[in-house]
């Protein structure tokens, strides 16, 4: 049995198309998209429609990510005030983009399980952990922190969310983080996904890193309106994509508290934050 699992496309169509090409050439029996197909990037509608076509024609399976959850929430709940409206402009822009195809997001599960025909070959796929789709597993997560957040009696637990590929073992359970197709955070701008094979009564896997047309992806951020219409925070998200490094945690630690307290305006704070980056 051959299974491909990818995640965190984040509205990056050139990266998604390249990943799809690799996966189709490999010829898997099953493909799972483990969440965050949309948002943070300029091409959420195109990515959603591309995936929906593969879901309908080839049986590819989705799992909810935190960005699917959030964007649908943005559609249900208006901003509480002017500041929240400004801070989530990029998300509301994404919602307006995908609104004509909300049907393609209906009934996505939070968890997906499959096996290779034996009771001891079960694989569990989710975007984060059993806690939530915002609870990621990274290299700094301790065993103590992770106990109770993943199921027992599995052959393999597959996760994503952190945008960093990872392989580790928790109390004998292999854990595989497939990383990000469209916006890695490990300093390597190449996308990643995982290929699983079941041979000799055991799962084996590899993380695939792939290059794609980043010049086109950069043009998309401008040409499709993400930077222009996504508000000040869209510029930080674009820098994260460019650098393949997480920047929002630094923003939230050093600048956002003053903005939320009304001590600083958002746009100047973002300008200063970006000016401090190397």
């Amino acid at each position: 049995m051959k299974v491909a699992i990818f995640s965190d496309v984040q509205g990056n169509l050139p990266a998604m198309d390249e990943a799809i090409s690799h996966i189709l050439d490999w010829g898997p029996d099953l493909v799972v998209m483990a969440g965050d197909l949309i948002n943070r990037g300029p091409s959420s509608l195109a990515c959603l429609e591309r995936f929906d076509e593969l879901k309908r024609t080839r049986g590819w399976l989705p799992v909810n990510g935190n960005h699917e959850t959030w964007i649908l929430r943005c559609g249900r709940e208006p901003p509480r005030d002017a500041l929240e409206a400004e801070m989530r402009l990029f998300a509301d822009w994404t919602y307006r983009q995908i609104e004509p195809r909300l049907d393609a997001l209906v009934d996505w599960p939070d968890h997906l399980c499959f096996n290779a025909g034996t009771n001891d070959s079960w694989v569990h796929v989710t975007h984060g952990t059993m806690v939530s789709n915002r609870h990621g597993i990274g290299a700094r997560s301790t065993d103590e922190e992770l106990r109770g957040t993943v199921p027992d009696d599995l052959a393999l637990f597959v996760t994503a969310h952190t945008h960093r590929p990872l392989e580790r073992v928790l109390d004998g359970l292999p854990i595989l983080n497939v990383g990000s197709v469209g916006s890695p955070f490990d300093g390597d701008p190449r996308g990643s996904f995982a290929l699983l094979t079941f041979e000799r009564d055991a799962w084996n896997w590899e993380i695939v890193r792939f290059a794609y047309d980043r010049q086109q992806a950069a043009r998309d951020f401008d040409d499709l309106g993400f930077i222009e219409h996504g508000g000040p925070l869209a510029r930080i998200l674009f820098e994260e994509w460019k650098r393949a490094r997480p920047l929002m945690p630094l923003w939230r630690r050093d600048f956002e508290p003053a903005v939320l307290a009304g001590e600083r305006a958002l746009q100047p704070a973002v300008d200063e934050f970006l000016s401090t980056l190397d």
Side-chain angles (χ1 to χ4, degrees):
M1 186 177 186
K2 298 166 65 175
V3 181
I5 304 176
F6 69 96
S7 188
D8 296 274
V9 172
Q10 307 290 181
N12 184 339
L13 186 61
M16 181 178 181
D17 279 342
E18 190 66 29
I20 288 170
S21 178
H22 282 276
I23 290 170
L24 290 176
D25 285 345
W26 189 58
D29 303 297
L30 175 66
V31 179
V32 180
M33 190 286 300
D36 282 9
L37 179 68
I38 60 173
N39 204 32
R40 280 183 154 265
S43 302
S44 290
L45 178 60
C47 290
L48 181 59
E49 291 184 325
R50 184 83 167 97
F51 178 77
D52 192 55
E53 176 191 10
L54 291 162
K55 180 173 175 281
R56 288 182 289 104
T57 61
R58 294 180 177 269
W60 290 23
L61 299 176
V63 169
N64 258 325
N66 57 292
H67 280 275
E68 283 80 33
T69 300
W70 187 35
I71 295 304
L72 290 175
R73 179 181 172 187
C74 286
R76 296 190 305 269
E77 302 176 10
R80 292 168 294 183
D81 52 37
L83 177 59
E84 184 180 44
E86 188 180 18
M87 293 184 71
R88 72 177 225 192
L89 272 172
F90 69 92
D92 287 325
W93 181 84
T94 294
Y95 179 81
R96 291 192 300 273
Q97 188 183 64
I98 68 166
E99 190 173 11
R101 288 304 320 275
L102 291 180
D103 61 295
L105 287 171
V106 171
D107 295 330
W108 283 16
D110 293 323
H111 304 272
L112 188 150
C113 297
F114 60 88
N115 68 26
T118 64
N119 285 333
D120 58 356
S121 63
W122 281 102
V123 176
H124 188 116
V125 182
T126 192
H127 186 69
T129 67
M130 305 305 289
V131 174
S132 79
N133 56 22
R134 296 185 61 84
H135 185 249
I137 297 178
R140 296 182 180 179
S141 304
T142 67
D143 287 355
E144 290 74 18
E145 291 169 339
L146 293 180
R147 289 190 180 104
T149 71
V150 299
D152 297 323
D153 300 325
L154 292 175
L156 176 65
F157 184 78
V158 181
T159 182
H161 183 61
T162 66
H163 295 218
R164 295 180 179 95
L166 176 71
E167 301 176 57
R168 64 179 293 171
V169 177
L170 173 67
D171 299 330
L173 171 64
I175 296 174
L176 176 65
N177 190 317
V178 301
S180 171
V181 164
S183 186
F185 284 170
D186 61 351
D188 184 341
R190 296 176 300 164
S192 70
F193 58 86
L195 300 178
L196 284 59
T197 56
F198 190 77
E199 298 176 323
R200 299 188 179 94
D201 298 322
W203 287 106
N204 299 281
W205 54 85
E206 64 172 316
I207 295 291
V208 176
R209 300 304 293 251
F210 66 94
Y212 65 94
D213 189 345
R214 282 178 57 83
Q215 291 183 340
Q216 181 60 57
R219 288 193 295 269
D220 287 348
F221 274 93
D222 277 321
D223 295 347
L224 299 180
F226 184 81
I227 301 298
E228 180 181 359
H229 300 295
L233 294 184
R235 294 166 56 210
I236 299 178
L237 300 178
F238 177 62
E239 284 297 318
E240 285 188 318
W241 171 80
K242 276 203 319 184
R243 297 164 184 258
R245 293 287 188 187
L247 299 176
M248 289 301 289
L250 297 176
W251 157 261
R252 292 189 178 109
R253 185 192 70 190
D254 297 337
F255 287 83
E256 187 176 83
V259 173
L260 294 176
E263 299 166 1
R264 304 196 61 181
L266 180 60
Q267 181 70 64
V270 169
D271 291 341
E272 183 178 347
F273 171 71
L274 292 175
S275 74
T276 67
L277 302 177
D278 293 335

